[in-house]
Amino acid sequence: MKTELTISTGAIDEAALAKCREMGKGMGAVICFSGVVREIEGDAPITAIDYEAHEQMARHQFALIFDAVEKSWPVESVRLVHRLGVVPVNEPSLWVEVTAPHRAEAFDACQFVIDEMKQKVPIWKKPIPA
Amino acid sequence: MKTELTISTGAIDEAALAKCREMGKGMGAVICFSGVVREIEGDAPITAIDYEAHEQMARHQFALIFDAVEKSWPVESVRLVHRLGVVPVNEPSLWVEVTAPHRAEAFDACQFVIDEMKQKVPIWKKPIPA
Amino acid sequence: MKFWSYFRDHTGCAETALELAKGTTLGETHAAVLDEFPKLAGSKNSTLKAVGLEYEDDDFVLSDGDEVSFFPPVQGG
Amino acid sequence: MKFWSYFRDHTGCAETALELAKGTTLGETHAAVLDEFPKLAGSKNSTLKAVGLEYEDDDFVLSDGDEVSFFPPVQGG
């Protein structure tokens, strides 16, 4: 299984990411998920979220999650980008792409990666009030 | 709920579609699904699939599916592109995008649209053998 | 009446017209079509039937000018 | 020992060193940290604990030079 992990303060360019996708001829399904910063966090309006990571541990924990994907589904590739630092409202902080032979495993694996991330990957957020 | 439906023989340009997405500030999740033509259909290698539609009925049936999405989930928008005619191996024939406040409803609504399409929308495929 | 996908290959035509008695149902029309195009009989139970842009049941009563479509299971995606 | 996210605000420092007896467990270390930084006590049960890059249980026995991290529930995405 191919994996590509980017953890950086750069903005996530989904169009560019879509363009550089490489897919084997046996693959029939691609899921892309984007998690976008909303203008409300809890009950209060915000302008942005400031993301912090224990970056080395985050990379290791993502690698463990990708290993678990490879063991559970016939997925061809997982690409994941998590932005750090200040992410303004309406911009993505997370982008996950899964390519697989069929739709079901692509959906399952993509949701698994996000669920596991939300349990295990040491990234935290600090809302920036409006 | 905003909807955008394209049924045409033109190639699906995912990067361009990503670029022209418009998202409200309360939206936190985007799912994009691409269904791609695989080199094997059944047991035999193919070079492409030729898609045919009862186009007017297909548009109507998609509209009914979008109505059902609007009634079931707080989805902001669904955009769907189905390509007709000859779609070569490794190119997408279907692209579905759902934007919603949260991840769970975006995933559920996207899978619902595809499941319903596969039951109800009059589109057929003819594999072109290698 | 319109035929779609490989049903067109079985009938040899994309559409045809049929004179029906008043009160004829969609199911009765399907039976008449199977008589005229025996190659469709193998797909009898999987045939989808629409009137205009809507799927309808066998007991749907047809009206003058209704456009009826017969086709195999759909395969979008 | 490293503190992350708002634990850093509670301790006033990003990291600190602690002399521990041989055989001290991660759970005992957490208790010592709570003694030194009482503001962390409110998060006691939700605290995540890692040694190096791995999550470990309270009965994990620390070795010389281990880097221990304490942090609140993660919030990626």
Side-chain angles (χ1 to χ4, degrees), chain D residues 6-63:
Chain D
Y6 60 79
F7 279 22
R8 216 168 33 227
D9 304 327
H10 288 340
T11 61
C13 65
E15 51 182 297
T16 182
L18 209 64
E19 288 275 334
L20 299 167
K22 209 177 163 108
T24 301
T25 65
L26 183 56
E28 290 162 350
T29 307
H30 187 208
V33 163
L34 295 181
D35 283 345
E36 192 170 339
F37 303 106
K39 280 188 183 170
L40 290 180
S43 308
K44 186 182 169 197
N45 294 321
S46 61
T47 295
L48 298 176
K49 300 155 210 166
V51 179
L53 309 181
E54 304 282 358
Y55 290 101
E56 300 292 355
D57 293 328
D58 277 347
D59 56 7
F60 182 89
V61 176
L62 294 172
S63 307

Side-chain angles (χ1 to χ4, degrees), chain B residues 51-57 60-61 64 82 93-94 117-126, chain C residues 2-6 8-9 48-50 52-55 67 69 71-77:
Chain B
Y51 285 92
E52 173 198 357
H54 180 338
E55 197 176 320
Q56 214 189 340
M57 182 172 170
H60 176 66
Q61 294 294 324
L64 295 178
H82 203 302
S93 53
L94 171 68
M117 178 197 74
K118 286 180 178 285
Q119 296 292 317
K120 296 181 181 165
V121 176
I123 297 176
W124 304 273
K125 50 190 192 184
K126 192 156 79 179
Chain C
K2 292 196 171 186
F3 304 105
W4 298 89
S5 184
Y6 61 80
R8 220 171 26 229
D9 304 328
L48 298 178
K49 301 155 210 165
L53 309 181
E54 303 283 358
Y55 290 100
E67 180 185 292
S69 287
F71 47 81
V74 303
Q75 302 171 296

Side-chain angles (χ1 to χ4, degrees), chain B residues 7-109:
Chain B
I7 298 177
S8 96
T9 55
I12 297 176
D13 183 343
E14 294 166 79
L17 286 160
K19 267 195 183 136
C20 65
R21 181 164 68 230
E22 287 172 16
M23 226 174 134
K25 288 188 175 175
M27 297 303 118
V30 185
I31 298 283
C32 297
F33 172 80
S34 299
V36 177
V37 174
R38 303 170 68 205
E39 65 181 343
I40 299 284
E41 178 74 15
D43 287 331
I46 62 168
T47 60
I49 288 180
D50 188 359
Y51 285 92
E52 173 198 357
H54 180 338
E55 197 176 320
Q56 214 189 340
M57 182 172 170
R59 288 181 185 281
H60 176 66
Q61 294 294 324
F62 271 128
L64 295 178
I65 295 168
F66 297 160
D67 286 348
V69 168
E70 182 161 27
K71 284 191 184 104
S72 306
W73 293 281
V75 160
E76 182 195 39
S77 84
V78 178
R79 290 195 291 165
L80 190 147
V81 184
H82 203 302
R83 189 171 168 188
L84 297 182
V86 175
V87 182
V89 163
N90 229 19
E91 293 189 20
S93 53
L94 171 68
W95 181 85
V96 186
E97 178 200 78
V98 175
T99 69
H102 304 100
R103 175 166 62 108
E105 60 242 20
F107 269 98
D108 288 351

